[in-house]
Amino acid sequence: MRLGFAVAVTTVAFLILGPTAAPAAAEPPAPPGATLADVPPMGFNNWNAFGCEVNEALIEQTADIFVSSGLKDAGYVYVNIDDCWSQRERGADGRLVADPVKFPNGIQGVADYVHGKGLKLGIYGDAGTKTCAGYPGSLGHEELDARTWAGWGVDYLKYDNCNNQSDGSQADYVRRYTAMRDAIAAAGRPMVYSICEWGTSKPWTWAPGVGQLWRTTGDISDNWPSLRSIIAQNAPLYPYAGPGHWNDPDMLEIGNGEMTGTEYRTHMSMWAMMAAPLIIGTDLRTASAETLAILGNREIIAVDQDRLGVQGRVVSDDAGLMVLDKPLANGDHAIALYNSTDTLATVGVAASATGLRRAPAYQMRDLWTGGVVQAKTTISAAVPAHGTVVYRVRPLTGPHAVAPSVTVGASLPTLISGTGGATLSATVTNRGTGELRDVAVTAQGPAGWTLTATTPTTGRRLRTDKSLAVTWTVGVPEGTPAGRYPIALTATYGWGPPGRTAHSDSELVSTVVTAPADGNRHLGTIAPVDSHNARGPVEVDQSNGGEAGGDGSLITLAGRVYTRGLGTTTASEIRYYLGGRCSRLSTDVGIDDAAPSTVPATFTVYADATAAATSGPVNSGDTPRSLVADLTGATWLRLVTASGDGGTGAPTAVATDWAAPVLTCGGAAPDDPVLPESRTLYSFESGTDGWTTANPPDGEGVARSADFHTDGAYGLAVTTSAGGNWFGSRPDTPLDLSGRTTFKFDLRAGGTGTVGEIAVQVGSAGSWCQGGFWTWTNPGASRTITRHLTDIDCPLGVTLDLSQVTGIWIFLNTGGVHHVDNLRVE
């Protein structure tokens, strides 16, 4: 047994490939048929919340909660086991063997328990030689494994794509996934077949008839950039979904704690509108009432499970605002108004642009609030930042008995603590039939704030499709911390016969900024006020790899690797509030080596409206340009990149990096230490620094190497086996790391990709403490692996004593040679 607790690995994430020819999939010998998944599957999978920490008790307890909480009655029926359920080696007969510690009654015992609850059991496999966590894969064992799972009573197979030995062609993907389809058919037990190849080979073009669902994206993460990116990738694929063949944008993160309730409701709403599988990925044993309410919203679930089986069509998608239209079996339409921007926005669509038939008006039922209103020609709502409003809409012949749809939109510039004068602008719009009477608008900010109306806040009458504009001056008390603060807006009005009144509410989340603290700081540790980037988000401490967040590598300019910086693509702009307190910005700039360009880029640093430093044209492969900008007295800092036209007359998105940018504020001198201070523990400049394997090596080893380094001229080449090992050192004298909060090391993965994890030994007994999750790095890519102390767990009775660190280890797997450098603490 290898040292360390059970650990987890996230599945590899790849970008969707460009257009390729789509070979036809072979016809199945015994098609499982759409009856297996006439509607998108609903259930649970342990991966997002538990990773490799899966066992019999967790699966059975989850099945119990499905029944007791009402989730089973709402439609959740599959209880799915993900990676790490088996032993590391196959049995003597070649069969997969369940880990007897995790599953003392075997998978069949768990299946019997789950089936006894009226539920179904899912299992995990891999179309390669090893699973993503290094357990046996099914490549070359398809028939045996399918018979094994069928014999255990498995009802659902998630079939992953790690260690796939692929030549990268679409034909190979079709071949490998069709082999398992045929094996399932031959095994004689119907199983829902979930193809999990991350959208790499455009499975929506070939997988119908092979599986019932297929992943369209890389792995989801519990954060807003990940959710936004996956929606953007999956929403346009609506022509490819239908009964028995579904686009799968990955499992639900709802309840895992890193997003807001508004963002989680968007998650649930957009998955339902996209007819996506609803696979819960949180610990239901500790789920909050809000989490259960989101997951259990029957009206949203009904949209997802509608028997017509249509994925919502993208009606419009502009400037971060998207409208989806999903026809339903009873003739209604679900209309989603999605706001991916960072501020309140009014999102709307003409009813004539949807599939709704022409009518005098339309009834709109809000599937989150239950409110019912009517609109004459436009379906709209004031949608909060990162929010989604879902209406169930039907034609209405007698609109005058239903309250009108009234939107309250608003905008407000960035607020500065201790100042007044910012203008809050609100617009009340009547979208219903009939006239509004005696409209009154109010705005309420946090305690101590002043909101002074600068226009009348009332209007006598407001006809259909007419608006009332109101403004206030907003004052923020001195000392208000930087952050986001809600302002509530309410419009009250009369409608219909005398005596009828109603109100419409919205919430604007305002942003308060304060100047940076004294000292030299890495700019990536300071939150910008806003940023705009041509492709995907601005990346912190890595290059911009594409539309998804976190998909780049370490910034590399002309062969030099940087661990700090900002990755952008032209055209881009990042804005910071300085408040006149900062004096200097120093940075290197250049076009990232990972994305060579024939088009030059220009980098400009603005102090307010003045260009304080500019690079001039920079070409791919140029030595990094060093810029120093004088920011003395500036209120705002802006970083701007621009590119040429690539010979087509249209701007070209060039991968531009701000490498190692350092901001100097207060009385700090440029040569003062840069915060947060970092202490390097191992840099491998003089050798391997005593590094070795924690477990008996299986063709594994370490050697100093100049091939990859982020500190000095050398790093460490690490040769791993497929199953992986812990690599590190036990220092002669215990290390005192008191006061440090974060462990980091830099990694460049080999040709198979790898996972990275950090563990420490503490105390005289050398007790082993480690984090619960691995971080995947794609083949050939590089990144900084980070673990906060709160991520590191120790065995029962052991305290993480950082004053007595007796060993430091990193985990790498999947075989091949990987490179690491600069293990450090901050």
Side-chain angles (χ1 to χ4, degrees):
M1 178 179 293
R2 294 185 179 267
L3 281 171
F5 312 150
V7 287
V9 53
T10 55
T11 310
V12 195
F14 286 103
L15 298 177
I16 298 175
L17 297 179
T20 56
E27 286 299 318
T35 55
L36 278 179
D38 275 340
V39 293
M42 295 174 62
F44 166 86
N45 180 291
N46 63 275
W47 186 259
N48 287 356
F50 298 94
C52 273
E53 305 280 348
V54 61
N55 56 49
E56 181 177 293
L58 170 63
I59 299 303
E60 293 183 353
Q61 289 164 7
T62 300
D64 293 342
I65 294 168
F66 266 23
V67 175
S68 64
S69 68
L71 290 172
K72 174 189 172 186
D73 292 339
Y76 294 94
V77 295
Y78 291 98
V79 187
N80 297 341
I81 301 167
D82 211 281
D83 204 351
C84 313
W85 60 266
S86 74
Q87 290 190 322
R88 287 281 183 181
E89 304 295 336
R90 291 176 176 268
D93 58 358
R95 291 180 178 270
L96 296 168
V97 180
D99 185 322
V101 176
K102 295 178 179 179
F103 296 93
N105 292 299
I107 302 301
Q108 184 168 347
V110 177
D112 290 344
Y113 186 91
V114 169
H115 292 157
K117 297 286 182 179
L119 302 168
K120 298 181 179 181
L121 184 76
I123 201 73
Y124 169 97
D126 190 278
T129 56
K130 295 277 187 180
T131 71
C132 297
Y135 293 81
S138 294
L139 186 63
H141 301 270
E142 289 88 354
E143 292 186 6
L144 179 59
D145 290 352
R147 289 199 306 270
T148 300
W149 294 324
W152 289 342
V154 167
D155 306 294
Y156 182 114
L157 171 63
K158 173 184 172 182
Y159 203 47
D160 218 336
N161 193 34
C162 283
N163 304 297
N164 56 39
Q165 314 301 307
S166 176
D167 61 12
S169 68
Q170 191 180 65
D172 175 70
Y173 282 85
V174 173
R175 182 167 52 251
R176 286 186 294 111
Y177 281 92
T178 301
M180 181 53 76
R181 178 209 59 192
D182 294 346
I184 293 171
R189 180 180 178 85
M191 297 181 203
V192 169
Y193 184 24
S194 170
I195 294 171
C196 184
E197 56 82 85
W198 325 308
T200 305
S201 68
K202 302 178 72 174
W204 49 90
T205 65
W206 58 262
V210 178
Q212 284 74 47
L213 58 151
W214 46 82
R215 281 278 295 280
T216 58
T217 70
D219 284 1
I220 193 170
S221 298
D222 187 21
N223 60 71
W224 173 247
S226 173
L227 179 60
R228 179 181 57 197
S229 171
I230 285 180
I231 292 171
Q233 293 174 69
N234 192 74
L237 300 178
Y238 59 87
Y240 298 95
H245 55 281
W246 307 105
N247 293 315
D248 176 11
D250 206 3
M251 300 171 288
L252 299 172
E253 291 281 7
I254 296 164
N256 286 332
E258 297 302 319
M259 286 190 274
T260 66
T262 296
E263 290 163 347
Y264 283 141
R265 283 186 287 276
T266 283
H267 195 348
M268 188 74 177
S269 298
M270 294 300 282
W271 261 233
M273 289 297 300
M274 296 187 297
L278 300 179
I279 305 298
I280 295 169
T282 196
D283 186 351
L284 289 172
R285 301 171 303 180
T286 58
S288 68
E290 181 183 36
T291 292
L292 292 174
I294 293 171
L295 293 170
N297 184 320
R298 298 292 184 97
E299 294 190 84
I300 293 290
I301 290 171
V303 170
D304 180 79
Q305 297 287 290
D306 185 77
R307 68 178 184 275
L308 197 61
V310 175
Q311 178 172 330
R313 175 175 64 94
V314 179
V315 178
S316 64
D317 183 11
D318 181 52
L321 309 180
M322 183 185 290
V323 176
L324 269 63
D325 172 26
K326 178 177 167 66
L328 304 176
N330 73 339
D332 292 353
H333 282 243
I335 306 290
L337 309 174
Y338 163 55
N339 174 16
S340 70
T341 74
D342 296 332
T343 189
L344 177 73
T346 298
V347 187
V349 62
S352 60
T354 72
L356 288 161
R357 64 178 174 84
R358 188 172 181 179
Y362 300 90
Q363 176 181 296
M364 303 151 51
R365 178 176 176 82
D366 188 318
L367 301 189
W368 287 106
T369 69
V372 177
V373 294
Q374 51 85 4
K376 184 174 178 62
T377 60
T378 302
I379 312 300
S380 68
V383 185
H386 305 179
T388 303
V389 171
V390 182
Y391 287 125
R392 191 171 186 125
V393 186
R394 64 182 55 171
L396 185 62
T397 55
H400 298 291
V402 181
S405 168
V406 178
T407 63
V408 186
S411 62
L412 179 65
T414 302
L415 301 171
I416 300 171
S417 179
T419 65
T423 298
L424 167 62
S425 300
T427 303
V428 179
T429 303
N430 175 17
R431 292 299 185 185
T433 61
E435 194 173 59
L436 304 184
R437 303 181 305 276
D438 301 323
V439 181
V441 191
T442 61
Q444 179 64 53
W449 289 32
T450 60
L451 281 81
T452 305
T454 53
T455 63
T457 59
T458 60
R460 292 254 326 171
R461 297 188 180 279
L462 199 60
R463 297 192 303 274
T464 298
D465 292 334
K466 297 300 182 181
S467 300
L468 171 66
V470 181
T471 61
W472 295 263
T473 297
V474 180
V476 181
E478 185 74 44
T480 301
R484 293 170 66 80
Y485 296 85
I487 296 177
L489 297 117
T490 300
T492 58
Y493 43 86
W495 67 279
R500 282 184 177 174
T501 61
H503 64 88
S504 295
D505 305 308
S506 61
E507 182 179 87
L508 173 70
V509 178
S510 62
T511 299
V512 174
V513 296
T514 56
D518 292 354
N520 291 317
R521 281 181 168 77
H522 294 291
L523 192 59
T525 66
I526 299 172
V529 173
D530 50 52
S531 61
H532 304 282
N533 202 46
R535 184 182 64 213
V538 172
E539 299 285 6
V540 176
D541 297 340
Q542 60 179 289
S543 63
N544 181 286
E547 292 292 344
D551 59 3
S553 289
L554 292 176
I555 288 170
T556 308
L557 302 178
R560 179 178 174 184
V561 181
Y562 296 79
T563 61
R564 293 285 191 175
L566 301 169
T568 61
T569 52
T570 57
S572 68
E573 179 174 329
I574 314 170
R575 190 167 66 109
Y576 299 85
Y577 175 68
L578 304 182
R581 298 196 68 258
C582 302
S583 59
R584 182 180 191 266
L585 177 76
S586 64
T587 183
D588 287 353
V589 298
I591 296 174
D592 199 89
D593 289 359
S597 170
T598 59
V599 179
T602 301
F603 300 75
T604 307
V605 180
Y606 287 92
D608 294 329
T610 301
T614 187
S615 66
V618 177
N619 295 295
S620 282
D622 283 358
T623 300
R625 303 276 179 91
S626 294
L627 303 181
V628 177
D630 182 357
L631 305 177
T632 304
T635 301
W636 296 96
L637 163 66
R638 290 187 298 132
L639 307 183
V640 177
T641 68
S643 65
D645 66 15
T648 65
T652 300
V654 179
T656 44
D657 296 328
W658 301 88
V662 174
L663 182 66
T664 302
C665 298
D671 56 354
D672 287 345
V674 180
L675 304 174
E677 292 189 69
S678 180
R679 174 184 169 187
T680 297
L681 303 177
Y682 299 99
S683 64
F684 312 109
E685 291 304 298
S686 60
T688 61
D689 288 353
W691 273 44
T692 185
T693 56
N695 302 287
D698 180 14
E700 299 157 318
V702 298
R704 191 176 68 145
S705 170
D707 289 345
F708 174 78
H709 50 86
T710 59
D711 180 52
Y714 293 93
L716 194 71
V718 178
T719 303
T720 70
S721 65
N725 207 335
W726 290 94
F727 299 85
S729 173
R730 296 182 178 92
D732 295 333
T733 303
L735 299 174
D736 183 357
L737 305 182
S738 301
R740 305 292 177 164
T741 62
T742 307
F743 288 94
K744 294 184 176 182
F745 73 95
D746 304 320
L747 167 68
R748 187 180 73 186
T752 58
T754 191
V755 296
E757 174 62 295
I758 296 174
V760 297
Q761 290 176 275
V762 295
S764 58
S767 298
W768 190 277
C769 304
Q770 73 185 67
F773 291 91
W774 293 343
T775 301
W776 175 263
T777 300
N778 284 339
S782 59
R783 69 189 312 169
T784 297
I785 308 299
T786 301
R787 281 290 172 267
H788 299 286
L789 296 185
T790 54
D791 296 331
I792 294 180
D793 299 317
C794 295
L796 188 65
V798 175
T799 300
L800 184 62
D801 183 0
L802 291 180
S803 69
Q804 290 288 317
V805 174
T806 57
I808 294 182
W809 304 90
I810 66 173
F811 188 89
L812 300 170
N813 80 346
T814 71
V817 178
H818 313 291
H819 291 82
V820 300
D821 195 19
N822 194 17
L823 195 143
R824 57 200 182 274
V825 288
E826 294 180 353

